[in-house]
Amino acid sequence: MFDLTGKRALVTGASGGIGGAVAQALCEAGADVGLSGTREAPLKELAETLGGRAHVLPCNLGDPDAIAALPKQAAEAMGGVDILVNNAGITRDNLFMRMTDDEFTQVMDVNLTAAFRLTRGMLRGMMKSRWGRIVNISSIVGATGNPGQANYAAAKAGLVGMSKSLAKEVASRGVTVNVIAPGFIETAMTDKLTEDQKAQLLSQIPVDRMGTPTEIAAAVLYLSSVEAGYVTGATLHVNGGMAML
Amino acid sequence: MSDIEDRVRKIVVEHLGVEEEKVVENASFIDDLGADSLDTVELVMAFEEEFGIEIPDDAAETIQTFGDAVKFIKDAT
C-alpha cells in the first residue's frame, strides 16, 4: 500500500530486533535504507538479506563526533536522507536509589541526546527538499513508568516532548515528526525476562500476547509514507491494549 | 551592484518569494520581507552553501538585514 520508491531512509539500531524489522519493511516498500548500529557484523548480514538497496553505516551513538559524521556518510552512500528512524536504545536498569550517575547518563546519551544530535544533522537536507519523515521509537514505559527503569523512562518520555517541539518548528516545511511507543515486543531486550515475569506481563495485555518487531515496523512504514503527511507530533501506541493512551 | 549582492538578492527573492525591488540594503528579513525565524536559519544555510563559507550561530544572529548579509559575506570571502 505504501510506496517509498526513491526515498532514502536511515535506521539506527538496525542490528536489533525492531530496527532490523523496520529496515526490512522500508526496504521492501522500495526505499534505499542505511543500516546504522555499533556492531558491524550483524548489519552486514542484514544488508546481504536485504539486497542492493541496503547500506551499512556503522556508528557509535555514544560518540558525538561519530554522530556528526553520519549524515555525510549517509549522503555518500545514498545521496541524502528523507526518512530518519531513531530506534537505537540501551537499558541500564537499576532501582532508583541504587542507580549511578553513569547508568543514568549513558541511557540519556544514547536514547535521547543521540536522537537530538542525529536529527539536527539530518534536518538540513529535509528542509531543503521540503519533505522529510522523522520517526522516533519511544516506549510504553515513557508514558507509564516502570520500576527499575527511571533512566530509560525519562529518556523515552523526553523523546515525546522533543518530537512535539520539533514537529511544530518544521511542519511548514513538509517535515513530520512522530513517535511510536511499543509495548512488550519479542526482542533480545525482552528475552531476558523470566517466565514468571512474562506471565505477569501477559495478564496485563488485552491482546494476550507479546507484539512482534514486524508490527512496530508496519507502524513506522505508515508514519514514513507520503499518505501520513497530515500526521505530525503524534505518538502511536502499539502495545496490544496494555495502556490505552 | 556587486556580484555578491546579486547572488544574495537572488537567494532572498527565491526563498522568501518577495519582489526584487523590496530587497534593499536596509530591508530587514523579518520586519520588511516577511521572514519567520526558521526562514532566517534557512537563509543562512543557503548563504553558506552558495558562497562555501561557515557562518557561526553568533554571527548569524547579527545578520538582520539584506545589507548585513552582503557585508558579512564580502568580509568572509
Side-chain angles (χ1 to χ4, degrees), chain A residues 40-196:
Chain A
E40 199 169 340
L43 295 177
K44 279 188 172 158
E45 261 174 53
L46 178 61
E48 272 166 31
T49 65
L50 294 181
R53 278 186 286 104
H55 310 268
V56 176
L57 303 167
C59 179
N60 172 10
L61 291 176
D63 174 2
D65 292 335
I67 300 172
L70 191 52
K72 200 165 165 232
Q73 292 169 321
E76 279 164 9
M78 303 185 287
V81 172
D82 309 293
I83 299 163
L84 171 63
V85 183
N86 285 306
N87 163 71
I90 58 167
T91 55
R92 295 283 183 274
D93 296 355
N94 209 343
L95 288 174
F96 198 103
M97 290 179 72
R98 294 188 184 281
M99 189 172 286
T100 65
D101 283 8
D102 269 355
E103 286 166 343
F104 191 84
T105 311
Q106 279 176 15
V107 168
M108 292 302 276
D109 278 354
V110 173
N111 296 12
L112 181 59
T113 313
F116 160 69
R117 291 191 176 121
L118 187 58
T119 302
R120 186 180 55 187
M122 295 294 177
L123 268 174
R124 195 182 184 119
M126 295 183 191
M127 303 276 282
K128 270 195 84 173
S129 65
R130 293 288 190 262
W131 198 92
R133 296 285 183 265
I134 296 163
V135 181
N136 292 322
I137 307 299
S138 177
S139 164
I140 183 175
V141 307
T144 63
N146 199 28
Q149 293 200 304
N151 48 3
Y152 188 76
K156 292 300 190 182
L159 280 176
V160 174
M162 184 176 83
S163 302
K164 288 178 179 178
S165 302
L166 178 60
K168 288 186 174 182
E169 283 189 30
V170 297
S172 63
R173 273 34 174 202
V175 180
T176 68
V177 190
N178 291 290
V179 176
I180 292 171
F184 282 86
I185 307 298
E186 292 164 358
T187 65
M189 214 183 255
T190 51
D191 272 352
K192 287 184 271 181
L193 300 171
T194 64
E195 287 306 313
D196 278 355

